[in-house]
Amino acid sequence: MESSYLLPGFLGFLLVVNVLFARGRQEVSFYRNYNVTWGNAHFSSLYDDAEVQLTLDQTSGAGFESKSYYRSGLFQMRIKIPEQKSPGVLTSFYLTSRKVLHDELDFEFIGSNGPPYSLSTNVYTKGVGGREQKIRLWFFVDKIPIRVFKNLGIKGTYPTQAMQVVGTIWNAEDWAGKIDWSKAPFTAHFQGFDINGCVVPDVLDPGSFRGCYYNHRNAWWSWRANQTLTRRQGMQYRNVRRKYLDYDYCSDRTRYPVPFPECQAPTGI
């Protein structure tokens, strides 16, 4: 299964989820672009570092993050979520700036709750989240866009800060439901560690961001042709929303009587 997330003009974000991994292809080593950040005893590197396994039990989960910070780019990962069905087990792949008023883009699988499998996405801008959408995934999702976030009501560009790429499995019982620990350990697998992004050499120096906007020859993800969905992608995106969208924060007037700015404008897609 494959799903795509594109922020036109500034950040291309691609998540690839394979139920079965393909072997025999040339893979980038995990350690070229990533480091383990927590739960070392629950982390394993496989197949000459072309695949990693993260494990969750009652003692800990595990996580990793990119060595560099990025201002724009195309980021992807192939993920096999835990086979056991249990709420509270969260497998995630996301970008975050790791500041108090942070920017963040989330892909989250809460438990192995399928089929059908549910994917939750969220967007934070300067510390404000609450922009959840939930999609029921289906087979043969290959390269079909499932979410577009337009830069409306936000001054300047998005994201406003350089971001790291993160993968985790962790205990989310406090908000996602009780975990059935009799099914532990829960294991998630990750592949595809290449990154096509504009590295910010100094996250404390705003001037170091400049090259990520103007280096268009190398930053192909920022080319005009990649700043919006194609006609075919637009049709696919509307079809996904019509058939598989289970929750959209823009339609939740109980939770958000005053909708977010991006919810008040026509999508144009």
Side-chain angles (χ1 to χ4, degrees):
M1 295 184 289
E2 178 178 306
S3 56
S4 301
Y5 186 14
L6 173 68
L7 279 84
F10 298 108
L11 186 74
F13 192 70
L14 172 67
L15 172 71
V16 182
V17 183
N18 282 346
V19 176
L20 297 176
F21 287 155
R23 307 287 187 204
R25 55 185 291 171
Q26 188 64 35
E27 296 284 357
V28 172
S29 169
F30 169 83
Y31 293 103
R32 178 186 295 183
N33 293 318
Y34 293 93
N35 283 323
V36 185
T37 50
W38 64 284
N40 292 65
H42 292 71
F43 172 91
S44 301
S45 177
L46 309 170
Y47 308 108
D48 296 323
D49 304 327
E51 180 180 324
V52 300
Q53 174 182 293
L54 305 185
T55 301
L56 172 69
D57 59 26
Q58 286 181 286
T59 64
S60 180
F64 60 85
E65 66 184 24
S66 61
K67 298 177 181 179
S68 298
Y69 284 78
Y70 301 90
R71 189 62 177 84
S72 62
L74 177 68
F75 308 92
Q76 59 186 3
M77 193 72 65
R78 294 190 300 278
I79 304 171
K80 184 177 181 181
I81 61 178
E83 296 180 0
Q84 305 95 317
K85 297 182 180 181
S86 181
V89 177
L90 195 145
T91 306
S92 63
F93 174 55
Y94 62 99
L95 270 69
T96 181
S97 61
R98 295 197 179 282
K99 294 184 178 182
V100 175
L101 300 179
H102 69 296
D103 293 340
E104 186 169 305
L105 303 166
D106 297 332
F107 284 91
E108 298 176 330
F109 295 91
I110 304 174
S112 180
N113 55 359
Y117 296 92
S118 179
L119 171 65
S120 176
T121 66
N122 199 358
V123 178
Y124 283 77
T125 65
K126 296 183 179 180
V128 179
R131 295 173 165 90
E132 296 98 344
Q133 290 184 355
K134 294 180 181 178
I135 295 286
R136 282 175 290 110
L137 296 180
W138 63 101
F139 293 106
F140 306 114
V141 187
D142 302 338
K143 296 183 179 179
I144 295 176
I146 64 169
R147 180 160 185 179
V148 171
F149 178 72
K150 288 200 168 187
N151 189 23
L152 300 174
I154 303 170
K155 294 182 179 180
T157 59
Y158 182 84
T160 62
Q161 307 157 41
M163 305 171 84
Q164 284 181 292
V165 189
V166 183
T168 65
I169 184 171
W170 59 284
N171 178 347
E173 279 189 310
D174 59 341
W175 60 272
K178 187 70 174 177
I179 295 176
D180 182 356
W181 291 112
S182 69
K183 298 180 179 179
F186 302 92
T187 59
H189 294 252
F190 294 77
Q191 283 185 351
F193 303 117
D194 54 319
I195 295 179
N196 292 302
C198 184
V199 175
V200 175
D202 184 355
V203 295
L204 299 179
D205 177 16
S208 66
F209 289 20
R210 184 174 299 274
C212 294
Y213 290 116
Y214 299 107
N215 190 15
H216 294 299
R217 177 170 296 180
N218 294 326
W220 53 266
W221 50 85
S222 294
W223 293 351
R224 184 173 297 276
N226 297 322
Q227 291 183 5
T228 187
L229 300 181
T230 65
R231 182 178 180 182
R232 175 178 174 79
Q233 289 172 332
M235 294 174 61
Q236 293 172 330
Y237 174 71
R238 290 190 294 272
N239 184 61
V240 168
R241 291 183 60 83
R242 184 172 64 253
K243 291 184 177 180
Y244 303 105
L245 183 66
D246 282 342
Y247 174 82
D248 183 5
Y249 71 107
C250 284
S251 302
D252 191 342
R253 291 294 181 267
T254 301
R255 187 177 180 186
Y256 304 112
V258 179
F260 286 88
E262 66 270 15
C263 300
Q264 301 179 47
T267 64
I269 297 173

